[in-house]
Amino acid sequence: MTKLLFTCALGEYMKGTIDCFRNNPDGIEFFIEGADMAPMEFNAVGLDRFFQVPSCIDSHYIDDILDICQREKITALFPMNTNELEIFEAVKDRFEAIGTTVVLTTGRLGIANDKLRMNLFLSKCGVRQPLTRTACSYSDYQTVSARYPKIKLCIKLPHGCGGRGFRVIGDEEYIKERSQPISYISQVELEKLFKNFDEVFMLQEYLPGTEYTVDVLAVNGKVVAGATKRNGDVDGIAKRSEIVPNGEAFDQCVKACEALSLDGNVGFDLKENSDGVPYIIDINPRLTATVSLIQKAGLNLPYYGYRYKTCGTIPESFPEAKVGARLVRQLADYFINTEG
């Protein structure tokens, strides 16, 4: 039986990702194992076996994952955390030596994983990017704000995953005018932030429009399949998502894949400005949290990415994801009986 191992396996989105492999178009039966730094209190994601491991920055992490792969005879390993992608890229030969393929998107990972470097690089390559500057102090912010008085700015971390660290710089009056709730930081809080943290922050044009996710499979920089999702109720991970026709947002991602020579599964986060023009704001060179919607709509990108990385084959033609298919992610209750 073919065995797969996923890191960060207890994420709330993982059940959908695992279902992509359970329901693959080739009818392959997979034994799916997972590893996570948190304990598994209940098997909500549907794993066949689970291992608790240290954080990916722990010195024993790679050795522990390698030991699991060797002991369990894992065919393919899927790193699911952005922060560990470059770590696994550096040691993938160790896994290949024991017969485990690391299903890893390759290319200019160092740029794709860094929001600031990505912004600067893609801007030079002609891929549309929002105005971005760096700031190490409140006076830096004041200089940028004075230079671009008509642009609403937000602050974020170059290396933060998802929306961590993101805040719109504003005041309560501005926030109250918005139709959707957003995270914001006041001028007073911003000044305190710069005093308390010795960090290089990104100041970026705030894009108030619709958010999209584009998921693709790229082969040596060329997109061979993909779909566009319009997201709603976004709090780190979209709670609502709908397949929409590929258009300008998709085209920007095609250009980015070529510029970054990406090879494998890639997810892009985009937002529109007030005029409805989409900009790439983040790249995830891995499987994304809502890629399962595309599989339900008829295009199994996770499985095809696995097949490409393990066998070197892709279909002559890919099915298209059904436009209009929707995903709604809701909370579920689990009762854990602590009595013996």
Side-chain angles (χ1 to χ4, degrees), residues 10 38-44 50 336:
L10 300 185
M40 185 171 72
E41 296 182 282
F42 46 90
N43 193 8
F50 174 76
I336 303 171

Side-chain angles (χ1 to χ4, degrees), residues 34-292:
D36 201 295
M37 62 183 293
M40 185 171 72
E41 296 182 282
F42 46 90
N43 193 8
V45 298
L47 295 169
D48 294 311
R49 189 166 293 152
F50 174 76
F51 303 91
Q52 188 173 1
V53 295
S55 164
C56 68
I57 62 174
D58 189 284
S59 60
H60 299 288
Y61 179 69
I62 291 297
D63 287 338
D64 286 358
I65 297 294
L66 189 69
D67 179 66
I68 293 170
C69 290
Q70 188 166 24
R71 187 173 66 249
E72 295 293 313
K73 295 181 173 57
I74 298 296
T75 300
L77 166 67
F78 291 79
M80 297 294 289
N81 185 339
T82 297
N83 295 327
E84 66 184 1
L85 299 181
E86 292 176 75
I87 297 174
F88 276 106
E89 183 182 40
V91 297
K92 62 182 179 180
D93 289 349
R94 294 178 61 190
F95 288 87
E96 292 175 358
I98 63 168
T100 299
T101 299
V102 181
V103 180
L104 187 70
T105 297
T106 56
R108 298 176 182 264
L109 285 185
I111 297 175
N113 282 335
D114 186 306
K115 293 181 177 65
L116 178 59
R117 293 181 65 193
M118 180 266 291
N119 177 276
L120 297 174
F121 180 82
L122 291 185
S123 295
K124 293 179 180 179
C125 295
V127 181
R128 189 185 302 118
Q129 288 287 289
L131 173 78
T132 302
R133 297 292 185 269
T134 58
C136 299
S137 66
Y138 186 69
S139 63
D140 288 345
Y141 158 73
Q142 290 177 309
T143 299
V144 175
S145 179
R147 186 173 182 181
Y148 303 99
K150 296 183 179 181
I151 294 180
K152 195 67 182 175
L153 295 172
C154 61
I155 187 169
K156 57 177 65 174
L157 294 168
H159 308 290
C161 294
R164 293 184 182 92
F166 167 82
R167 295 289 186 276
V168 177
I169 303 171
D171 49 47
E172 292 187 11
E173 287 71 24
Y174 173 81
I175 301 304
K176 289 177 181 178
E177 293 175 0
R178 304 303 99 189
S179 59
Q180 297 291 332
I182 58 176
S183 298
Y184 79 99
I185 185 170
S186 69
Q187 299 287 334
V188 173
E189 292 170 327
L190 183 65
E191 189 170 10
K192 290 180 180 178
L193 177 71
F194 280 115
K195 288 180 179 179
N196 293 332
F197 293 93
D198 185 20
E199 298 275 358
V200 176
F201 291 95
M202 291 173 61
L203 298 175
Q204 194 168 79
E205 174 187 359
Y206 172 58
L207 305 172
T210 302
E211 180 172 311
Y212 295 89
T213 301
V214 173
D215 288 287
V216 303
L217 175 61
V219 176
N220 296 321
K222 179 182 178 182
V223 171
V224 296
T228 303
K229 295 168 292 182
R230 181 173 56 219
N231 299 328
D233 192 12
V234 180
D235 183 14
I237 298 174
K239 302 299 188 296
R240 293 178 177 272
S241 194
E242 178 182 0
I243 303 289
V244 296
N246 291 335
E248 178 61 19
F250 190 87
D251 292 342
Q252 290 294 302
C253 299
V254 169
K255 293 178 182 178
C257 279
E258 183 177 2
L260 292 164
S261 302
L262 296 176
D263 186 69
N265 287 105
V266 191
F268 295 86
D269 293 330
L270 303 95
K271 284 200 74 177
E272 293 178 338
N273 66 7
S274 56
D275 296 322
V277 179
Y279 292 76
I280 295 173
I281 57 174
D282 199 9
I283 300 178
N284 298 294
R286 54 171 174 78
L287 298 177
T288 64
T290 53
V291 73
S292 57

Side-chain angles (χ1 to χ4, degrees), residues 301-320:
L301 287 176
Y303 174 73
Y304 288 129
Y306 155 81
R307 202 174 92 173
Y308 169 56
K309 288 293 182 175
T310 57
C311 304
T313 63
I314 57 173
E316 291 184 3
S317 62
F318 290 87
E320 292 188 6

Side-chain angles (χ1 to χ4, degrees), residues 7-18 35-36 44-45 237 329:
T7 68
C8 298
L10 300 185
E12 61 181 271
Y13 54 86
M14 280 301 298
K15 184 181 186 303
T17 302
I18 290 172
D36 201 295
V45 298
I237 298 174
R329 178 170 280 123

